[in-house]
Amino acid sequence: TPCPDTVTVNPYDQVGANTTQYSYMVVGAPASNGPVITMPTNEQTTLNTTATIPGVSVADSFAQNNPGQMAVNVSSTLGNASMSYGGNPVAGSGTSAFQFSGTLAQVNEALSTLSYTAGSSPGTGSLSVNVWDQAGANSTKSTTINIAP
């Protein structure tokens, strides 16, 4: 909800006399509760295999109702992450860390293509998604990737 408040200005002339008082109603934009990221808590894959990460999305009421770009940071361990937008790989895709920016709809379109390619060592890797909205609020969520030989 909007945040109304009143600002009062009391101007004085060079002699120190108060001329007239002015009051202004200002309504600020509502604060952001931050992005809410949905993604699985864990996934399974095997060495040197690519796994699509299903159901990754962001909900953000501030971003939905305000114009501007959101920022997404993707990082991974023991493998590489990939993502595309508009049928083209996102810059840096196929590495262990990259960034993407776009509107809420563009971010969700790109996140729907998120995948993880396991490296050549078995173990437990991770895939993390960090999202910032236009108000500067952010959220991070991670998926554990179990890599079998």
Side-chain angles (χ1 to χ4, degrees):
T1 60
C3 310
D5 203 353
T6 302
V7 174
T8 303
V9 179
N10 294 306
Y12 291 86
D13 63 16
Q14 300 90 326
V15 193
N18 184 323
T19 55
T20 306
Q21 184 179 56
Y22 299 95
S23 292
Y24 302 95
M25 174 65 81
V26 290
V27 179
S32 173
N33 291 329
V36 177
I37 303 168
T38 300
M39 65 189 295
T41 55
N42 59 56
E43 287 293 317
Q44 307 267 346
T45 192
T46 56
L47 299 178
N48 302 309
T49 302
T50 299
T52 300
I53 310 301
V56 182
S57 65
V58 175
D60 189 315
S61 59
F62 186 87
Q64 185 175 348
N65 297 310
N66 292 280
Q69 302 278 302
M70 300 179 77
V72 178
N73 302 296
V74 177
S75 61
S76 60
T77 62
L78 294 183
N80 293 318
S82 296
M83 196 167 74
S84 63
Y85 175 72
N88 298 307
V90 168
S93 186
T95 65
S96 62
F98 59 88
Q99 299 174 336
F100 176 78
S101 62
T103 64
L104 178 61
Q106 292 167 334
V107 163
N108 279 320
E109 180 181 332
L111 286 172
S112 72
T113 70
L114 187 61
S115 64
Y116 174 91
T117 301
S120 57
S121 299
T124 303
S126 67
L127 180 63
S128 295
V129 174
N130 169 253
V131 178
W132 290 77
D133 70 11
Q134 305 92 315
N138 79 91
S139 180
T140 302
K141 195 132 188 199
S142 297
T143 296
T144 299
I145 311 287
N146 297 310
I147 306 164

